[in-house]
Amino acid sequence: MAPRKKSKDEPNFTLTRTTSAKVALKNLPAQKRPPVTARLQRLALEGCRAAGYALSGDHPWPHICSIHVGDLRIIVVFPSDNEVAVVSVAAHNDVSDPYRDIAYALNVPVSDAPRTKPACCDAATGVPPVDADLFDRLETAFKRLGN
Amino acid sequence: MTQGNISKYATAVRPAARETIASRQARKPAELAVAITRDTASALAALEAPEVPERVRGYLQDIVQRASALSQGVSVSAAAKELATTTQTVRTWIERGVLESVPNLTPRQVTVRSLGEVLAAVEVIRATGANQRVLTSVVNALEDRHTRDRLAAKAAEFEEREVFDPFDLESIYA
């Protein structure tokens, strides 16, 4: 049997998410859902090319990408070449700062590097900023905070 | 227990006992919330005292736990009065996470537990005659601690990641 031809809309990347992101999406107001859905679908099709910009600063910031959808930030990391993990979906405003939460969890300073907003994919190779350990570091950090 | 510690302990616990009587005398829910806030502040301060007997410690912890379970909050203006500060400062502290607001309530109310906690810290600072910078440090420390507590509550949520299908709306928003 000939291999099934891949549809042009067939996802190339596996999307995963934290429970926190799942809860945030569930609580998202109806009017904010269509643009978020569109961005998530693009993530599944295009990976880092649809992942906005890489954060500026020292490690691990450049391995974390942020997508703006109005005041929402969809924050993603790349555990592998073919997986996009949605870490957080949260507003960035006077009350909520998802970047500060991550900095606090990882015990790293909030980056004060100039915000150059480079593309999420590596400019030379086009590959995503994979960091297999980053998600685990977040997990460990949050566990430590719980002690 | 040394004589010095007994004296320190008695000084710390006495206001808690007095305020508990005050809260029993309060009648209106708003008055009761303020009275319980004072109880909570006194109990938290007393819990900091060294060598508090276990039985008393349990009693003080009960006061704090009851405050945590209270759905009635304290209005922003009453909170400002208790803290001897402005309503704007109270609102700023809510936004910074130093004070916690009762969810889904308009106008805003501050939870008795968080107000008691801040009140206890502020009273200690003011009693020592410390300046505004020290008070700011305490507020920053409380903000950090609340951020840490909030993130710790999220810890389990970050432990597992699940696959979802962005082309299936139910999968995304279920």
Side-chain angles (χ1 to χ4, degrees):
Chain A
M1 185 190 290
R4 186 168 64 96
K5 192 179 173 187
K6 201 169 184 181
S7 154
K8 87 178 166 68
D9 286 337
E10 195 160 326
N12 300 306
F13 300 88
T14 302
L15 251 59
T16 56
R17 62 184 171 188
T18 60
T19 307
S20 173
K22 180 180 179 176
V23 170
L25 287 167
K26 186 178 178 182
N27 293 331
L28 208 59
Q31 70 271 21
K32 289 190 174 181
R33 291 185 176 189
V36 169
T37 304
R39 295 312 296 257
L40 293 173
Q41 290 174 347
R42 277 192 59 202
L43 270 179
L45 294 170
E46 302 174 28
C48 65
R49 283 197 292 138
Y53 61 90
L55 301 179
S56 302
D58 297 329
H59 187 86
W61 295 113
H63 292 267
I64 301 172
C65 294
S66 176
I67 302 160
H68 287 208
V69 183
D71 72 337
L72 287 177
R73 303 291 178 267
I74 302 174
I75 297 175
V76 300
V77 297
F78 297 85
S80 68
D81 281 339
N82 56 7
E83 180 184 346
V84 186
V86 180
V87 173
S88 167
V89 179
H92 187 207
N93 51 35
D94 291 343
V95 181
S96 164
D97 185 344
Y99 306 123
R100 191 184 64 174
D101 286 355
I102 289 172
Y104 207 103
L106 294 175
N107 196 25
V108 296
V110 175
S111 174
D112 57 1
R115 300 178 66 193
T116 54
K117 298 189 177 180
C120 184
C121 301
D122 183 274
T125 63
V127 299
V130 172
D131 186 331
D133 298 330
L134 187 52
F135 197 93
D136 291 338
R137 279 187 64 199
L138 274 165
E139 177 187 350
T140 306
F142 279 105
K143 276 182 179 167
R144 190 179 64 242
L145 287 170
N147 291 332
Chain B
M1 190 183 281
T2 66
Q3 186 60 42
N5 280 339
I6 291 171
S7 170
K8 207 179 226 178
Y9 158 69
T11 305
V13 172
R14 199 177 298 123
R18 189 175 62 237
E19 293 296 345
T20 300
I21 294 166
S23 70
R24 282 178 188 158
Q25 290 170 341
R27 287 289 176 264
K28 294 179 184 170
E31 287 175 5
L32 182 64
V34 170
I36 295 176
T37 297
R38 293 176 190 155
D39 288 354
T40 307
S42 301
L44 286 166
L47 282 166
E48 294 293 321
E51 298 182 35
V52 177
E54 272 312 304
R55 199 169 161 189
V56 178
R57 182 170 290 279
Y59 167 71
L60 295 170
Q61 285 168 341
D62 281 349
I63 294 176
V64 177
Q65 277 175 10
R66 276 202 298 274
S68 303
L70 197 68
S71 58
Q72 170 75 37
V74 177
S75 69
V76 169
S77 57
K81 192 174 168 189
E82 287 301 304
L83 294 167
T85 186
T86 65
T87 55
Q88 183 53 49
T89 298
V90 170
R91 289 195 181 92
T92 302
W93 286 2
I94 291 171
E95 284 173 9
R96 289 177 58 184
V98 176
L99 288 166
E100 187 180 53
S101 59
V102 179
N104 307 320
L105 260 192
T106 308
R108 271 180 172 177
Q109 289 187 353
V110 180
T111 64
V112 167
R113 172 73 167 83
S114 72
L115 180 57
E117 194 175 38
V118 174
L119 187 59
V122 167
E123 281 183 349
V124 168
I125 294 296
R126 289 194 172 132
T128 61
N131 61 19
Q132 186 64 29
R133 190 180 299 172
V134 177
L135 180 58
T136 303
S137 300
V138 170
V139 168
N140 288 341
L142 281 169
E143 182 183 14
D144 280 354
R145 199 173 83 196
H146 289 166
T147 301
R148 195 171 64 237
D149 290 348
R150 185 167 49 80
L151 292 178
K154 277 188 173 179
E157 298 179 357
F158 281 83
E159 286 176 15
E160 290 180 7
R161 58 184 189 271
E162 62 159 27
V163 176
F164 71 104
D165 179 2
F167 294 92
D168 175 0
L169 292 184
E170 277 195 23
S171 170
I172 301 176
Y173 300 109

